[in-house]
Amino acid sequence: MDRFITLKIIDVLMKRLNIDLGERSYDILIGRNILPQVGEFISKRFEPSRSIIITHPSVRNLFGEKLEPGLVNAGYSPGIIEIPEGEISKSLQQAELVYDRMLEMNCDRKSTLIALGGGVVGDLTGFIAATYQRGIPFIQIPTTLLSQVDSSVGGKTAVNHPRGKNMIGAFHQPKLVVVDLDTLQTLPKNEFKAGLAEVIKYGIIADEKLFTFLENNTKEILSLNRDCLQYIIETSCAIKAKVVEKDERENRHRMILNFGHTFGHSIETLTNYTEYLHGEALAIGMIQAAWLSVETGECSEDVPIRITNLLKKFNLPVHSPNLKSEDVISSMYHDKKTTHNKLRFILVKNIGSVEIVDDVPELAVKAALNKNH
Ligand code: GLY
């Protein structure tokens, strides 16, 4: 938190956090009603030849009027490429359609893509920016809680392959991330709550104070109190920035961001991605990972119980769907995060502290799954 610099722009308070990655360093700007200033933020940082906004039609309807005039005033009259809503757009086919449009628009290597939307728009835009003419700049303007605290920061970009999510991708850092808290006011409630699961994850892996804040301010957060939102988003981004600075390409330490994800991905896969939002499956996955931590002697039962109680307060799912433990374990071996056929998990020691454990026995995983029915 001390890493933030407070800036005042036209009577609006904004926080700036720099993520230090050498020549790939960039700022994360967090504030209210800051979309109109994006053109100005860009011009202070680099010189694009032009800008192209990639977004969904509904997102453009909500936020285009705030964003586009400022870009025009700064001299970057934006081209607009609209893509269909939903995970279906995270595909090589959709990427190709966007490359076609960019070539028609004569985009060059200094053209800058602006991802305006949630995780799908951000991941696809980042992937296109990583590959168009061997890499061009892009900026992230995440408009969902999940993308504000997770996918817009850290440079993971990808599209899906029919045989697995995020299978085709690249590390490509954005030049800037702009989080306008006002975008959350129109976010559907279930998506907001699913995003909170990632915020809770940051509390578990790195910050007991954040976890306690979430326990004590549930009502205010659910009613979108702006000071609470500012605090939880800033804190989450600061934790993610620190982890990414230490291990940008996920050689090991960055894996702690995957706490609960191995269980969560199994639930998503075995329910064909139709029953749970990612954050909802993650909520159940974090409880299962915490029970696994009890099984392996990392922590006491208080930890999964405390996590379950917090998730319940936010009305997130806490019980596993009816899945066979053999199927869950088998799908874990197919997870992109599994290597050398060993089950590796992020286990919790205390709220605020985790460790990466390789080669966890299947029996312990089965026992943990049984505790969560
Ligand atoms: N979403 C996990 C990561 O960025 O590493």
Side-chain angles (χ1 to χ4, degrees), residues 173-190:
Q173 299 293 344
K175 288 271 183 220
L176 175 69
V177 180
V178 180
V179 178
D180 188 327
L181 301 170
D182 288 352
T183 59
L184 297 179
Q185 301 296 324
T186 46
L187 187 67
K189 278 279 166 284
N190 61 338

mmCIF file of all heavy atoms in Angstrom, residues 173-190:
data_model
loop_
_atom_site.group_PDB
_atom_site.id
_atom_site.type_symbol
_atom_site.label_atom_id
_atom_site.label_comp_id
_atom_site.label_asym_id
_atom_site.label_seq_id
_atom_site.Cartn_x
_atom_site.Cartn_y
_atom_site.Cartn_z
ATOM 1 N N GLN A 173 3.489 -7.522 -21.629
ATOM 2 C CA GLN A 173 3.002 -6.569 -20.624
ATOM 3 C C GLN A 173 2.319 -5.380 -21.286
ATOM 4 O O GLN A 173 2.773 -4.907 -22.328
ATOM 5 C CB GLN A 173 4.184 -6.059 -19.768
ATOM 6 C CG GLN A 173 4.917 -7.127 -18.988
ATOM 7 C CD GLN A 173 4.087 -7.780 -17.878
ATOM 8 O OE1 GLN A 173 3.037 -7.271 -17.460
ATOM 9 N NE2 GLN A 173 4.531 -8.940 -17.408
ATOM 10 N N PRO A 174 1.246 -4.887 -20.686
ATOM 11 C CA PRO A 174 0.635 -3.652 -21.206
ATOM 12 C C PRO A 174 1.551 -2.456 -20.928
ATOM 13 O O PRO A 174 2.491 -2.561 -20.138
ATOM 14 C CB PRO A 174 -0.662 -3.540 -20.396
ATOM 15 C CG PRO A 174 -0.406 -4.304 -19.140
ATOM 16 C CD PRO A 174 0.560 -5.402 -19.484
ATOM 17 N N LYS A 175 1.264 -1.331 -21.572
ATOM 18 C CA LYS A 175 2.034 -0.093 -21.321
ATOM 19 C C LYS A 175 1.429 0.690 -20.174
ATOM 20 O O LYS A 175 2.053 1.585 -19.616
ATOM 21 C CB LYS A 175 2.001 0.812 -22.559
ATOM 22 C CG LYS A 175 2.835 0.313 -23.705
ATOM 23 C CD LYS A 175 4.241 0.860 -23.573
ATOM 24 C CE LYS A 175 5.104 0.444 -24.726
ATOM 25 N NZ LYS A 175 6.448 0.095 -24.307
ATOM 26 N N LEU A 176 0.168 0.349 -19.859
ATOM 27 C CA LEU A 176 -0.563 1.105 -18.837
ATOM 28 C C LEU A 176 -1.827 0.327 -18.489
ATOM 29 O O LEU A 176 -2.421 -0.300 -19.369
ATOM 30 C CB LEU A 176 -0.937 2.476 -19.430
ATOM 31 C CG LEU A 176 -1.814 3.422 -18.618
ATOM 32 C CD1 LEU A 176 -1.030 3.936 -17.396
ATOM 33 C CD2 LEU A 176 -2.259 4.615 -19.464
ATOM 34 N N VAL A 177 -2.218 0.384 -17.202
ATOM 35 C CA VAL A 177 -3.518 -0.174 -16.799
ATOM 36 C C VAL A 177 -4.318 0.959 -16.151
ATOM 37 O O VAL A 177 -3.803 1.643 -15.264
ATOM 38 C CB VAL A 177 -3.348 -1.346 -15.793
ATOM 39 C CG1 VAL A 177 -4.709 -1.907 -15.377
ATOM 40 C CG2 VAL A 177 -2.471 -2.458 -16.374
ATOM 41 N N VAL A 178 -5.541 1.179 -16.600
ATOM 42 C CA VAL A 178 -6.379 2.239 -16.025
ATOM 43 C C VAL A 178 -7.625 1.596 -15.425
ATOM 44 O O VAL A 178 -8.434 0.999 -16.147
ATOM 45 C CB VAL A 178 -6.791 3.277 -17.096
ATOM 46 C CG1 VAL A 178 -7.663 4.365 -16.470
ATOM 47 C CG2 VAL A 178 -5.559 3.893 -17.770
ATOM 48 N N VAL A 179 -7.755 1.699 -14.106
ATOM 49 C CA VAL A 179 -8.920 1.124 -13.413
ATOM 50 C C VAL A 179 -9.839 2.260 -12.980
ATOM 51 O O VAL A 179 -9.491 3.028 -12.076
ATOM 52 C CB VAL A 179 -8.477 0.301 -12.175
ATOM 53 C CG1 VAL A 179 -9.698 -0.240 -11.431
ATOM 54 C CG2 VAL A 179 -7.536 -0.836 -12.571
ATOM 55 N N ASP A 180 -10.971 2.383 -13.643
ATOM 56 C CA ASP A 180 -11.951 3.392 -13.237
ATOM 57 C C ASP A 180 -13.002 2.690 -12.377
ATOM 58 O O ASP A 180 -13.777 1.859 -12.864
ATOM 59 C CB ASP A 180 -12.592 4.026 -14.485
ATOM 60 C CG ASP A 180 -13.461 5.217 -14.109
ATOM 61 O OD1 ASP A 180 -14.057 5.195 -13.011
ATOM 62 O OD2 ASP A 180 -13.555 6.156 -14.917
ATOM 63 N N LEU A 181 -13.009 3.035 -11.074
ATOM 64 C CA LEU A 181 -13.898 2.329 -10.136
ATOM 65 C C LEU A 181 -15.364 2.496 -10.488
ATOM 66 O O LEU A 181 -16.193 1.641 -10.153
ATOM 67 C CB LEU A 181 -13.662 2.855 -8.717
ATOM 68 C CG LEU A 181 -12.232 2.696 -8.187
ATOM 69 C CD1 LEU A 181 -12.051 3.456 -6.897
ATOM 70 C CD2 LEU A 181 -11.916 1.223 -7.989
ATOM 71 N N ASP A 182 -15.691 3.574 -11.184
ATOM 72 C CA ASP A 182 -17.103 3.805 -11.522
ATOM 73 C C ASP A 182 -17.662 2.732 -12.459
ATOM 74 O O ASP A 182 -18.878 2.555 -12.532
ATOM 75 C CB ASP A 182 -17.287 5.194 -12.148
ATOM 76 C CG ASP A 182 -17.140 6.294 -11.098
ATOM 77 O OD1 ASP A 182 -17.055 5.953 -9.901
ATOM 78 O OD2 ASP A 182 -17.077 7.473 -11.486
ATOM 79 N N THR A 183 -16.794 2.041 -13.171
ATOM 80 C CA THR A 183 -17.302 1.011 -14.088
ATOM 81 C C THR A 183 -17.997 -0.121 -13.308
ATOM 82 O O THR A 183 -18.809 -0.863 -13.882
ATOM 83 C CB THR A 183 -16.171 0.389 -14.949
ATOM 84 O OG1 THR A 183 -15.189 -0.186 -14.085
ATOM 85 C CG2 THR A 183 -15.527 1.428 -15.851
ATOM 86 N N LEU A 184 -17.684 -0.254 -12.011
ATOM 87 C CA LEU A 184 -18.277 -1.359 -11.242
ATOM 88 C C LEU A 184 -19.735 -1.100 -10.886
ATOM 89 O O LEU A 184 -20.464 -2.029 -10.525
ATOM 90 C CB LEU A 184 -17.461 -1.614 -9.968
ATOM 91 C CG LEU A 184 -16.015 -2.056 -10.217
ATOM 92 C CD1 LEU A 184 -15.287 -2.248 -8.905
ATOM 93 C CD2 LEU A 184 -15.983 -3.340 -11.051
ATOM 94 N N GLN A 185 -20.149 0.158 -10.996
ATOM 95 C CA GLN A 185 -21.528 0.492 -10.602
ATOM 96 C C GLN A 185 -22.553 -0.209 -11.503
ATOM 97 O O GLN A 185 -23.680 -0.443 -11.086
ATOM 98 C CB GLN A 185 -21.753 2.016 -10.622
ATOM 99 C CG GLN A 185 -20.818 2.803 -9.699
ATOM 100 C CD GLN A 185 -21.004 2.503 -8.209
ATOM 101 O OE1 GLN A 185 -22.127 2.273 -7.758
ATOM 102 N NE2 GLN A 185 -19.907 2.491 -7.446
ATOM 103 N N THR A 186 -22.166 -0.543 -12.742
ATOM 104 C CA THR A 186 -23.123 -1.190 -13.656
ATOM 105 C C THR A 186 -22.830 -2.680 -13.856
ATOM 106 O O THR A 186 -23.488 -3.344 -14.660
ATOM 107 C CB THR A 186 -23.074 -0.490 -15.039
ATOM 108 O OG1 THR A 186 -21.708 -0.317 -15.399
ATOM 109 C CG2 THR A 186 -23.790 0.843 -15.030
ATOM 110 N N LEU A 187 -21.840 -3.197 -13.136
ATOM 111 C CA LEU A 187 -21.477 -4.618 -13.307
ATOM 112 C C LEU A 187 -22.551 -5.517 -12.660
ATOM 113 O O LEU A 187 -22.950 -5.269 -11.519
ATOM 114 C CB LEU A 187 -20.113 -4.871 -12.630
ATOM 115 C CG LEU A 187 -19.498 -6.236 -12.834
ATOM 116 C CD1 LEU A 187 -19.086 -6.439 -14.295
ATOM 117 C CD2 LEU A 187 -18.245 -6.397 -11.939
ATOM 118 N N PRO A 188 -23.037 -6.578 -13.383
ATOM 119 C CA PRO A 188 -24.011 -7.472 -12.746
ATOM 120 C C PRO A 188 -23.478 -8.003 -11.403
ATOM 121 O O PRO A 188 -22.298 -8.300 -11.279
ATOM 122 C CB PRO A 188 -24.157 -8.611 -13.768
ATOM 123 C CG PRO A 188 -23.752 -8.010 -15.079
ATOM 124 C CD PRO A 188 -22.716 -6.955 -14.760
ATOM 125 N N LYS A 189 -24.386 -8.095 -10.440
ATOM 126 C CA LYS A 189 -24.003 -8.457 -9.065
ATOM 127 C C LYS A 189 -23.240 -9.792 -8.978
ATOM 128 O O LYS A 189 -22.289 -9.931 -8.217
ATOM 129 C CB LYS A 189 -25.249 -8.548 -8.170
ATOM 130 C CG LYS A 189 -25.720 -7.209 -7.669
ATOM 131 C CD LYS A 189 -24.883 -6.756 -6.463
ATOM 132 C CE LYS A 189 -25.065 -5.294 -6.108
ATOM 133 N NZ LYS A 189 -24.400 -4.303 -6.953
ATOM 134 N N ASN A 190 -23.700 -10.793 -9.766
ATOM 135 C CA ASN A 190 -23.035 -12.107 -9.664
ATOM 136 C C ASN A 190 -21.585 -12.019 -10.163
ATOM 137 O O ASN A 190 -20.685 -12.659 -9.615
ATOM 138 C CB ASN A 190 -23.822 -13.200 -10.392
ATOM 139 C CG ASN A 190 -23.968 -12.932 -11.877
ATOM 140 O OD1 ASN A 190 -23.852 -11.802 -12.328
ATOM 141 N ND2 ASN A 190 -24.223 -13.975 -12.645
#
